[in-house]
Amino acid sequence: FCFGEADHESINFVKKESLIKPQKVNFLQPSSIDNYRKLLQEGVAEFWGNDSGPSHLAANMGIPTNVCFRSTESAIWRPTGPRVQIHEFNQDSS
């Protein structure tokens, strides 16, 4: 999972979910290409993030990528890549 500064509410929601297993899930802070290189070397299963540079980078590196859109248009800004899934949430949803 990778979240930006505007995603504090989302981070807390995700951390409460039962799918979070510390031995299997890594939360990335604002990161660099080296973090993605490390993920590929370790055999990352999938990447979850918001509409941001890290999500676009993961998608274009071929990592299975799930991108959550909340305030931007996925039809315009969706990442390209062979294994991208889009998840849309409106501002009013919890």
Side-chain angles (χ1 to χ4, degrees), residues 80-93:
T80 58
R83 304 186 312 187
V84 177
Q85 288 204 359
I86 301 300
H87 306 276
E88 300 210 43
F89 303 92
N90 64 36
Q91 290 286 351
D92 299 328
S93 66

Side-chain angles (χ1 to χ4, degrees), residues 5-93:
E5 291 178 13
D7 300 313
H8 293 291
E9 201 173 293
S10 300
I11 292 170
N12 292 331
F13 173 77
V14 169
K15 285 184 175 180
K16 291 177 187 175
E17 292 298 305
S18 62
L19 66 93
I20 302 301
K21 306 285 185 234
Q23 69 275 19
K24 294 184 178 182
V25 176
N26 291 316
F27 283 87
L28 300 177
Q29 297 303 316
S31 51
S32 69
I33 189 73
D34 291 331
N35 287 358
Y36 294 95
R37 189 174 294 121
K38 182 180 175 189
L39 288 174
L40 285 176
Q41 290 169 344
E42 292 175 354
V44 64
E46 60 184 44
F47 177 92
W48 282 79
N50 61 346
D51 178 26
S52 63
S55 294
H56 288 262
L57 183 57
N60 282 293
M61 291 178 79
I63 296 170
T65 303
N66 293 274
V67 185
C68 300
F69 282 83
R70 185 170 159 176
S71 59
T72 55
E73 291 271 340
S74 64
I76 297 170
W77 300 109
R78 70 175 287 131
T80 58
R83 304 186 312 187
V84 177
Q85 288 204 359
I86 301 300
H87 306 276
E88 300 210 43
F89 303 92
N90 64 36
Q91 290 286 351
D92 299 328
S93 66

